[in-house]
Amino acid sequence: MEANTRSTGRLPAAFLTPGSASFMDFLSDHQPELLPGNKKLPPVQGAIEAPHGTTIVAVTFPGGVVLAGDRRATMGNVIAQRDIEKVFPADEYSAVGIAGTAGLAVEMVKLFQLELEHFEKVEGAQLSLEGKANRLSTMIRSNLGMAMQGLAVVPLFAGYDVDREKGRIFSYDVTGGRSEEQGYAATGSGSIFARGAMKKLFREDLSEAEATTLVVQALYDAADDDSATGGPDVARRIYPIVTVITEDGFRRLSETESSEIARSVLERRLEQPDGPRAALL
Amino acid sequence: MSTPFYVSPQQQMADRAEYARKGIARGRSLVVLQYADGIVFVGENPSRALHKFSEIYDRIGFAAAGKYNEYENLRIGGVRYADLRGYTYDRGDVTARGLANVYAQTLGTIFSSVGEKPYEVELVVAEVGETTEQDQIYRLPHDGSIVDEHGAVAVGGNAEQISSYLDQRHRDGMTLAEALKLAVQSLSRDTNGSEREIPAERLEVAVLDRTRPQKRKFKRISGRQLGRLLEADGATTASEAEADANAEAEAEASGNDE
């Protein structure tokens, strides 16, 4: 019985063997070469040049969480892509935003989405938010070999925890180390500037509309000081991707909605380039 | 050591087929019907957790009658097949036809290999298309044959009788409530022709709804929404349709309908 899913023969034994509800476990038993972490890289000098995605930010508000990303991908000094998408739904109640090597990141997201969907179909129930966050951790760890060669993927994971009834954010390092963030978080090259902005603007009692504005403000500040992060591109009508996850599930703001927020932020910045000011005390 | 008796291949196959059919007949039958907006799966199932119907992939659903552990095994095999294929190529490359072929090969090989006991299962693989004409329903009996069905199909021990009842009454473009009612009526009829009541709590109902905005079209229907659909009389009034839409929104808001 050959292990061949491309033909329409009998299902190979591996398919009918009772086992884990994890698609990644199934792949590693059945076709390990398809797992992103198992790619063999030839030895290279220095870092490999590949498009990088940059800034992702997330903010919680009572009732949910907002995850947003800019649209720029860079390769060294060059803007590789102006309208890249770096924020994806992971499933109904969670989303993942990616900074780092774009190609690997997108592949990782695809596998992560499938992992969650596969579990849901096999088990007939969703993983807990904690379980999803841990699963992502494992995937990043399996990429460590490539991260060492400069192909790191550093995601930000946000979701609505149905059991605790609140939005939660998890951030990661290249080794797969995971930590839960309180209130707000950012990852990628512009994250230091974005975090500074959010630190001053964040409050516990933000509304959904305020939270979506806050992330756009933070992305603007990241783009203002980090050349690898793109600001709202009014000429080309490319605006940040903003997603909201509440108990109603995942929702991505339409282009009209996100352009409205971006334009109002821009307008204010024309008068006050450094953005809203926090009170001194 | 005694010499085994000679059994002719015809006899051997007939015995195996009878064995499988008897096993399938021990369980309850189920029906799969096309309606205006998709495909509905209806069956009697006292269990809330052990499902007869489930999602395989975006537009593909699975229904099975017979021995639970055997069809569960096939179901998981199908999910693995579909997910692997979609991951290797593209989500659009996973089709009910491909899946039905794999199931047919699998069941056929098991049925005719002497070392293995035949599976006591009968499956339905259905894929909802953009229009009713593009819907695909495949019935897979225990021996690995494959039947391309349209309109309504029944599987299980009592299938023939239910099928003939459905064939006379099913028509294209039924509403979900109409199709559901017809399905329940067909399932309520016993072999001797008498009718019995199946309470809503004992029904398992799922749909592949082509109007769902998500790419995954499979959805379970239970609780209040199921009650409302069963109560609605044939011609749904505007307010009832609205109530159904609201119920659907509620069900989705409350999350997984598992």
Side-chain angles (χ1 to χ4, degrees), chain B residues 14-35:
Chain B
D15 286 352
R16 291 171 75 85
E18 196 194 336
Y19 170 81
R21 269 200 296 269
K22 274 190 176 164
I24 296 164
R26 269 195 289 274
R28 300 226 178 256
S29 304
L30 55 89
V31 294
V32 180
L33 272 77
Q34 283 179 281
Y35 70 100

Side-chain angles (χ1 to χ4, degrees), chain A residues 6 16-17 93 117-118 121, chain B residues 56 73 75 83 89 255:
Chain A
R6 292 160 195 91
L16 299 175
T17 313
Y93 289 103
E117 185 188 324
H118 189 80
K121 288 193 287 197
Chain B
I56 296 281
N73 206 15
R75 180 182 79 86
D83 279 350
Y89 302 110

Side-chain angles (χ1 to χ4, degrees), chain A residues 70-72 82 216-217 219-221 223-224 229-240 258-259 261-267 269:
Chain A
D70 75 312
R71 308 291 296 269
R72 182 173 289 180
R82 295 175 193 281
V216 176
Q217 292 277 16
L219 285 173
Y220 187 98
D221 281 322
D224 205 19
T229 305
D233 190 338
V234 187
R236 294 188 184 80
R237 297 196 179 84
I238 301 170
Y239 303 100
S258 63
S259 79
I261 300 173
R263 278 170 185 278
S264 76
V265 167
L266 262 177
E267 233 157 73
R269 297 274 174 149

Side-chain angles (χ1 to χ4, degrees), chain A residues 5-6 8 10-11 14-17 20 23 27 31 34 93 110 114 117-118 120-122 124 247, chain B residues 55-57 73 75 77 79-81 83-85 87 89 91 102 105-106 109-110 116 216 253 255 258:
Chain A
T5 47
R6 292 160 195 91
T8 48
R10 178 187 175 171
L11 281 174
F15 283 68
L16 299 175
T17 313
S20 143
F23 184 69
L27 264 193
Q31 276 188 297
L34 291 180
Y93 289 103
K110 194 174 140 195
L114 192 55
E117 185 188 324
H118 189 80
E120 194 186 321
K121 288 193 287 197
V122 171
E247 64 172 353
Chain B
E55 172 189 9
I56 296 281
Y57 212 62
N73 206 15
R75 180 182 79 86
V79 171
R80 286 174 176 164
Y81 163 86
D83 279 350
L84 180 57
R85 203 174 159 88
Y87 179 68
Y89 302 110
R91 293 194 83 93
V102 170
Q105 293 295 336
T106 307
T109 318
I110 293 169
E116 274 176 282
R216 292 164 70 183
E258 309 301 329

Side-chain angles (χ1 to χ4, degrees), chain A residues 56-58 67 95-97 133-134 136-137 140 153-159 168-182 184-188 191 195:
Chain A
I56 306 290
V57 294
L67 185 69
V96 56
N134 285 339
L136 189 54
S137 211
I140 301 164
V153 178
V154 194
L156 200 57
F157 178 63
R168 297 171 72 188
I169 306 169
F170 297 89
S171 68
Y172 297 85
D173 61 33
V174 279
T175 64
R178 175 210 108 164
S179 54
E180 183 166 2
E181 304 277 352
Q182 296 304 324
Y184 56 89
T187 182
S191 64
R195 201 175 295 130

Side-chain angles (χ1 to χ4, degrees), chain A:
Chain A
M1 227 40 40
E2 91 289 36
N4 190 358
T5 47
R6 292 160 195 91
S7 78
T8 48
R10 178 187 175 171
L11 281 174
F15 283 68
L16 299 175
T17 313
S20 143
S22 161
F23 184 69
M24 275 157 62
D25 289 356
F26 171 67
L27 264 193
S28 69
D29 288 345
H30 183 60
Q31 276 188 297
E33 73 279 5
L34 291 180
L35 281 175
N38 286 349
K39 292 198 179 75
K40 296 270 181 301
L41 286 181
V44 281
Q45 293 287 316
I48 300 164
E49 281 273 287
H52 272 62
T54 42
T55 309
I56 306 290
V57 294
V59 171
T60 58
F61 62 92
V65 59
V66 175
L67 185 69
D70 75 312
R71 308 291 296 269
R72 182 173 289 180
T74 54
M75 198 158 72
N77 288 331
V78 176
I79 296 174
Q81 198 182 339
R82 295 175 193 281
D83 61 349
I84 190 173
E85 299 194 1
K86 296 180 263 183
V87 180
F88 306 90
D91 65 357
E92 190 76 31
Y93 289 103
S94 62
V96 56
I98 303 271
T101 317
L104 292 177
V106 170
E107 196 179 350
M108 193 180 280
V109 168
K110 194 174 140 195
L111 185 57
F112 183 56
Q113 288 167 329
L114 192 55
E115 174 79 3
L116 302 185
E117 185 188 324
H118 189 80
F119 184 95
E120 194 186 321
K121 288 193 287 197
V122 171
E123 293 281 316
Q126 287 211 341
L127 268 173
S128 65
L129 192 68
E130 205 89 25
K132 294 173 198 170
N134 285 339
R135 217 56 205 135
L136 189 54
S137 211
T138 314
M139 293 180 66
I140 301 164
R141 197 166 296 126
S142 72
N143 189 50
L144 188 60
M146 280 192 270
M148 289 310 191
Q149 304 206 32
L151 300 176
V153 178
V154 194
L156 200 57
F157 178 63
Y160 182 78
D161 193 325
V162 196
D163 303 318
R164 298 195 194 178
E165 299 183 346
K166 62 170 190 170
R168 297 171 72 188
I169 306 169
F170 297 89
S171 68
Y172 297 85
D173 61 33
V174 279
T175 64
R178 175 210 108 164
S179 54
E180 183 166 2
E181 304 277 352
Q182 296 304 324
Y184 56 89
T187 182
S189 64
S191 64
I192 28 174
F193 310 108
R195 201 175 295 130
M198 289 192 287
K199 196 186 216 168
K200 296 298 174 207
L201 297 176
F202 178 76
R203 291 194 323 267
E204 297 279 349
D205 60 344
L206 292 169
S207 69
E208 183 183 316
E210 286 169 331
T212 49
T213 311
L214 177 92
V215 290
V216 176
Q217 292 277 16
L219 285 173
Y220 187 98
D221 281 322
D224 205 19
D225 288 317
D226 171 39
S227 62
T229 305
D233 190 338
V234 187
R236 294 188 184 80
R237 297 196 179 84
I238 301 170
Y239 303 100
I241 290 179
V242 182
T243 65
V244 183
I245 309 152
T246 62
E247 64 172 353
D248 295 338
F250 173 92
R251 186 172 80 91
R252 178 177 155 168
L253 262 55
S254 69
E255 204 184 292
T256 329
E257 288 172 299
S258 63
S259 79
E260 256 167 44
I261 300 173
R263 278 170 185 278
S264 76
V265 167
L266 262 177
E267 233 157 73
R268 294 279 310 280
R269 297 274 174 149
L270 291 178
E271 294 156 17
Q272 207 173 6
D274 294 340
R277 307 207 179 266
L280 190 54
L281 263 178

Side-chain angles (χ1 to χ4, degrees), chain B residues 42 177 180-181 184 198-201 203 205 223-233:
Chain B
V42 188
L180 181 58
K181 261 187 224 159
V184 176
I198 305 177
E201 310 81 66
L203 281 176
V205 179
R224 279 192 297 159
Q225 196 189 357
L226 177 58
R228 217 172 345 236
L229 280 169
L230 287 170
E231 274 161 31
D233 51 43

Side-chain angles (χ1 to χ4, degrees), chain B residues 18-82:
Chain B
E18 196 194 336
Y19 170 81
R21 269 200 296 269
K22 274 190 176 164
I24 296 164
R26 269 195 289 274
R28 300 226 178 256
S29 304
L30 55 89
V31 294
V32 180
L33 272 77
Q34 283 179 281
Y35 70 100
D37 291 332
I39 297 168
V40 59
F41 302 81
V42 188
E44 186 179 354
N45 185 359
S47 169
R48 297 278 101 203
L50 306 174
H51 297 303
K52 287 173 182 290
F53 314 130
S54 79
E55 172 189 9
I56 296 281
Y57 212 62
D58 297 352
R59 294 180 156 271
I60 305 174
F62 171 95
K67 210 158 178 262
Y68 180 79
N69 69 324
E70 292 178 347
Y71 69 66
E72 176 67 3
N73 206 15
L74 287 168
R75 180 182 79 86
I76 291 175
V79 171
R80 286 174 176 164
Y81 163 86

